[in-house]
Amino acid sequence: MLSYEFLITSLIVVLIPGTGVLYTIATGLFSGKRASFFAALGCTLGIVPALLASSLGLAAIFHTSAVAFQVVKFLGVGYLLYLAWQMWNSSSALSISEKNSKSNYLNIVIKGFMLNILNPKLSIFFLAFIPQFIPSNVQSVLNSMLLLGAVFMLMTFVVFVIYGFLSGLFSAYILKSEKASIFIQRFFATSFAALGLKLAFSERV
């Protein structure tokens, strides 16, 4: 079931920078390594609805219904643009607080979760991706999809934690410079806006 082809392909997919990677790295840079762990957790949990939708066949609705796809897509676009606007407007010299509150960590998890559940292409991706690696003679396709999806989620979480940890290592050096911290915040704000526009012009596959 867990073939080398699935593991290698999944790793390549997870390593490709996207909204989740961008969010986790930004969190690591601006809030530290511990906060980036919660960003990775939120992004990973955001995969659960898409995995369940694809496993239960609900993702086919996005594939066949233009209205459903467009509604969820533009909610996602709006959320990405909101994050971009929020980060751009808060651009200033930063410092990392060692005492992040539980409510702040929860907010980080929620933001990461929202990034994925408001992306309808993620459900369609699972619907198209995972079945390729399920043998035709399995007794339960649903159980197989859930198993492969769980492995994909675990790989996502591990890779995102590594991304966040590495970005957290550089945060202290970057944030020492006011100009550098403002530039990086605006860079990430622009990147979120660009990803939002890319999603806005995306089509069903």
Side-chain angles (χ1 to χ4, degrees):
M1 179 68 69
L2 294 178
S3 63
Y4 288 114
E5 290 82 2
F6 172 77
L7 295 175
I8 293 173
T9 306
S10 296
L11 181 60
I12 293 173
V13 171
V14 171
L15 288 171
I16 296 174
T19 55
V21 170
L22 193 67
Y23 176 66
T24 303
I25 291 176
T27 303
L29 284 173
F30 303 139
S31 301
K33 291 178 286 187
R34 182 176 295 182
S36 72
F37 172 88
F38 289 94
L41 178 62
C43 291
T44 304
L45 291 176
I47 296 175
V48 174
L51 174 60
L52 292 177
S54 60
S55 300
L56 298 174
L58 299 178
I61 296 175
F62 291 131
H63 188 63
T64 58
S65 172
V67 174
F69 181 86
Q70 294 296 326
V71 168
V72 177
K73 182 179 78 171
F74 281 107
L75 285 174
V77 171
Y79 189 68
L80 282 169
L81 294 179
Y82 164 74
L83 290 180
W85 173 82
Q86 189 180 51
M87 185 170 287
W88 184 277
N89 282 343
S90 64
S91 296
S92 60
L94 294 171
S95 61
I96 296 178
S97 173
E98 295 296 332
K99 296 182 179 180
N100 285 296
S101 65
K102 290 183 178 180
S103 61
N104 186 45
Y105 288 142
L106 179 61
N107 185 49
I108 290 172
V109 171
I110 291 173
K111 283 186 176 180
F113 182 77
M114 294 294 290
L115 279 174
N116 275 340
I117 66 171
L118 291 178
N119 183 1
K121 294 184 74 68
L122 186 60
S123 296
I124 296 175
F125 163 76
F126 278 117
L127 188 64
F129 176 70
I130 292 182
Q132 300 178 50
F133 302 96
I134 298 178
S136 57
N137 59 345
V138 295
Q139 294 183 346
S140 174
V141 174
L142 175 60
N143 289 340
S144 298
M145 288 194 68
L146 292 176
L147 172 62
L148 294 179
V151 172
F152 184 89
M153 286 179 58
L154 178 61
M155 294 177 68
T156 299
F157 179 68
V158 172
V159 170
F160 279 27
V161 166
I162 293 173
Y163 272 130
F165 179 81
L166 292 177
S167 65
L169 291 177
F170 293 100
S171 61
Y173 300 100
I174 293 173
L175 301 181
K176 285 180 180 178
S177 169
E178 179 179 350
K179 290 184 178 179
S181 63
I182 292 175
F183 172 80
I184 291 174
Q185 285 180 89
R186 291 184 173 177
F187 168 79
F188 278 106
T190 303
S191 298
F192 278 121
L195 287 170
L197 293 175
K198 179 181 178 182
L199 178 60
F201 289 102
S202 67
E203 300 293 337
R204 290 176 297 157
V205 293

